[in-house]
Amino acid sequence: MRATPLAARAHILTAVVCATLCALPALRSGAGIAWTTLGLLTALYLACELPGRCRLLGSSVPISAGSFFPLLLAAAFLLPPAAAALVAIPGSLVGRVEHAPATARRIWRAAQLALTVWAASCVHGLLGGGATLGGPGPERLPDFPYALLPACAAALAFSLVLTALDGSILATAERLPLRHAWSGLLPRSLGPHLVHGLAGLMMAVLWRSSYGPVSALFVLLPMYISCWIFSQYHREHAAHRATIRALVQAVDIKDTYTRGHSERVGRASVLIARELGMAEDRLEVLRFAGILHDVGKLCVPTRVLRKDGPLTPEERRVIELHPEYGHEIVRGIGFLGEARAAILHHHERLDGSGYPYGLSGREIPEFARVVAVADAFDAMTSTRSYRRGRPVPAAVEELKRCAGTQFDPQMVRALARGLDRHGWSTASTVVTADETVPVPRVGEGARAVPRPVRPRSPDGLEPAAGRAVPGDGLDVAGGRAAAADGFGLAPGAQPSVDRTR
């Protein structure tokens, strides 16, 4: 608890006091509590939480209490509010937590769920939900469909209170602004909680029926299995993101002056794809394509990537192999799908003068055409140590000028529409993880990374405007200079040294 901020400790203490006040009426003599039902529900919830503490089963048990919310909602339907609040406490206090401080998290979780179940039970009771559940014998059948109304209202109250408390602890413990702490919590949780409410209603009806409490397990078990499958999917997805994150961080550390470029290319690629109406299941793969488009830099010698002066023809040929290197790196990563082709072909040009294979037009994969535009756009708008970024309108105009020869006009138009609709920030937006890894500082076991400088021509003079100097990152095609970062040189502009975008 000492590691918990003072405001968070005060907030947790307040929640504990409120939960205690809510549960106290159940402990008074003459409260008329169905202690058998209370004991069975409490023991069942405790039994559901205990496997998470087992070393053999812990890694495969869902971390979230969502697997057991139908059981808590069934308690809200079957018991008075004070008794229902008690059901969640023992299981919450022994359940598994992933992060420190464990004690504070368990206490908070117990108080939070007690308050949430109490609120749901209050709403259910106010709407007369207890009378709609029926009882043993054919003469006391459940009152459907009216039973759905108090059950759904209780699930709504459950969701509202739970998300309100989630946001409040984020605001106090993580010092997030309230607006950000609560942002998106309710929309994401309302649907699942309504489903949990219906499952809890089924459990409560069966509990009250002649079949008894054992029959309620037939509802809880399928819900638990479905939540387990869902958690496995999320674990697999997290592993995918960790793989992408590791590759991106490796590229950023090796080529430091383009830090954040890959993340922004992924974001711009998704912006284009949404305007094109791509299916949602392709958006994540396209984002990975944008993020990993330069992963082949890992195979390019560092001395070439960080060379201060012009590149020799041999060094240029090495750099132009980075799409093929990247494709080889990700060849065995099955979940990348179409992204692998985009990594290989994102330097192809519509007129066939690109590399590595000189594809043209529709021969270039769709994802590669999207990433090429996103890559060029971010390269133009990003400020580097050797030049200032172009304004977004100027970058869009340059893309339009090169559309049809270097870029797919459809992708350029989609980017322009997306920017008009959503705007753009060159600040790096991390989409592969919750945190970024800083470049090691000098004195922390890392050597100093030389700051990139604008290359000079072999005669020591600055490159002339519009002139392609060997090694300055320009592709010359058809007598026209086009920068390797995806855009042609406007009259009077200085060439870029971002040799591989």
Side-chain angles (χ1 to χ4, degrees):
M1 288 287 286
R2 291 181 179 178
T4 308
L6 182 61
R9 279 184 278 174
H11 189 60
I12 293 172
L13 180 61
T14 301
V16 169
V17 171
C18 291
T20 302
L21 293 175
C22 291
L24 273 179
L27 303 178
R28 295 174 183 169
S29 59
I33 303 298
W35 290 104
T36 302
T37 300
L38 174 60
L40 287 173
L41 287 169
T42 304
L44 188 56
Y45 183 68
L46 179 63
C48 289
E49 289 282 4
L50 281 176
R53 302 292 297 274
C54 176
R55 292 185 178 181
L56 296 178
L57 301 176
S59 60
S60 62
V61 174
I63 298 171
S64 171
S67 314
F68 319 123
F69 281 171
L71 179 58
L72 296 179
L73 283 160
F77 301 155
L78 291 167
L79 295 168
L86 293 172
V87 172
I89 295 175
S92 300
L93 291 175
V94 302
R96 187 180 78 209
V97 294
E98 288 292 298
H99 306 288
T103 301
R105 290 179 183 275
R106 288 193 178 99
I107 293 173
W108 165 253
R109 186 178 175 189
Q112 179 190 34
L113 289 180
L115 289 170
T116 302
V117 176
W118 178 86
S121 183
C122 286
V123 171
H124 191 258
L126 287 173
L127 295 177
T132 66
L133 300 178
E139 70 282 355
R140 296 187 60 192
L141 295 176
D143 186 9
F144 285 111
Y146 179 74
L148 296 173
L149 176 61
C152 289
L156 176 61
F158 186 94
S159 186
L160 288 170
V161 174
L162 189 65
T163 54
L165 292 171
D166 278 337
S168 66
I169 195 64
L170 285 174
T172 55
E174 304 294 336
R175 298 183 177 89
L176 293 177
L178 289 176
R179 178 168 59 90
H180 296 300
W182 277 308
S183 177
L185 286 179
L186 185 60
R188 288 196 301 267
S189 61
L190 185 57
H193 289 161
L194 288 174
V195 174
H196 293 153
L198 296 177
L201 176 62
M202 294 167 56
M203 190 180 299
V205 168
L206 288 172
W207 194 289
R208 283 274 190 91
S209 72
S210 57
Y211 297 103
V214 176
S215 61
L217 294 177
F218 290 102
V219 178
L220 183 62
L221 186 59
M223 286 294 296
Y224 180 80
I225 292 174
S226 66
C227 286
W228 179 82
I229 294 172
F230 192 64
S231 71
Q232 296 306 304
Y233 164 78
H234 276 284
R235 283 193 176 93
E236 182 180 358
H237 190 65
H240 293 172
R241 293 170 69 89
T243 301
I244 302 299
R245 181 172 67 250
L247 290 171
V248 170
Q249 289 171 351
V251 173
D252 282 350
I253 290 172
K254 183 163 186 174
D255 192 17
T256 54
Y257 65 83
T258 57
R259 176 170 300 279
H261 169 67
S262 298
E263 303 283 358
R264 293 190 299 271
V265 172
R267 181 157 57 97
S269 298
V270 172
L271 185 68
I272 295 171
R274 290 193 187 279
E275 292 298 320
L276 295 174
M278 278 192 189
E280 287 293 326
D281 59 345
R282 299 181 72 199
L283 292 183
E284 185 78 353
V285 178
L286 178 58
R287 182 173 63 170
F288 288 158
I291 291 171
L292 292 175
H293 73 285
D294 273 343
V295 70
K297 285 182 179 181
L298 293 174
C299 299
V300 176
T302 306
R303 61 175 178 81
V304 176
L305 285 177
R306 297 178 179 173
K307 185 175 180 181
D308 292 343
L311 297 176
T312 66
E314 291 77 16
E315 290 170 337
R316 186 177 184 82
R317 283 193 290 271
V318 169
I319 285 220
E320 289 182 353
L321 287 174
H322 82 272
E324 295 176 275
Y325 289 148
H327 184 259
E328 286 300 314
I329 289 173
V330 302
R331 180 191 293 273
I333 305 178
F335 68 84
L336 288 178
E338 293 180 83
R340 292 175 295 204
I343 293 168
L344 178 62
H345 297 295
H346 72 279
H347 276 292
E348 305 284 4
R349 296 169 55 116
L350 220 62
D351 60 7
S353 63
Y355 61 89
Y357 298 135
L359 302 183
S360 62
R362 296 290 171 174
E363 293 178 343
I364 305 172
E366 183 182 27
F367 275 18
R369 285 179 274 134
V370 172
V371 171
V373 172
D375 184 15
F377 172 74
D378 182 69
M380 282 190 282
T381 56
S382 298
T383 295
R384 305 283 167 78
S385 59
Y386 48 83
R387 63 161 171 81
R388 293 184 61 83
R390 296 189 186 188
V392 168
V396 172
E397 286 304 314
E398 189 68 18
L399 289 172
K400 289 179 179 178
R401 187 173 69 83
C402 296
T405 55
Q406 186 165 351
F407 306 114
D408 187 330
Q410 182 184 16
M411 308 308 174
V412 174
R413 289 193 296 268
L415 176 64
R417 290 196 305 270
L419 293 172
D420 288 340
R421 194 189 310 269
H422 303 290
W424 181 255
S425 170
T426 55
S428 177
T429 300
V430 178
V431 294
T432 56
D434 296 330
E435 61 183 5
T436 55
V437 175
V439 181
R441 298 178 181 176
V442 179
E444 295 178 349
R447 68 177 181 84
V449 177
R451 185 176 180 179
V453 297
R454 187 165 53 193
R456 295 179 179 270
S457 60
D459 58 5
L461 301 177
E462 289 290 332
R467 170 186 168 199
V469 178
D472 65 359
L474 301 180
D475 292 327
V476 181
R480 182 179 186 134
D485 58 3
F487 55 96
L489 284 174
Q494 291 291 349
S496 165
V497 300
D498 188 0
R499 304 178 177 89
T500 61
R501 298 185 201 166

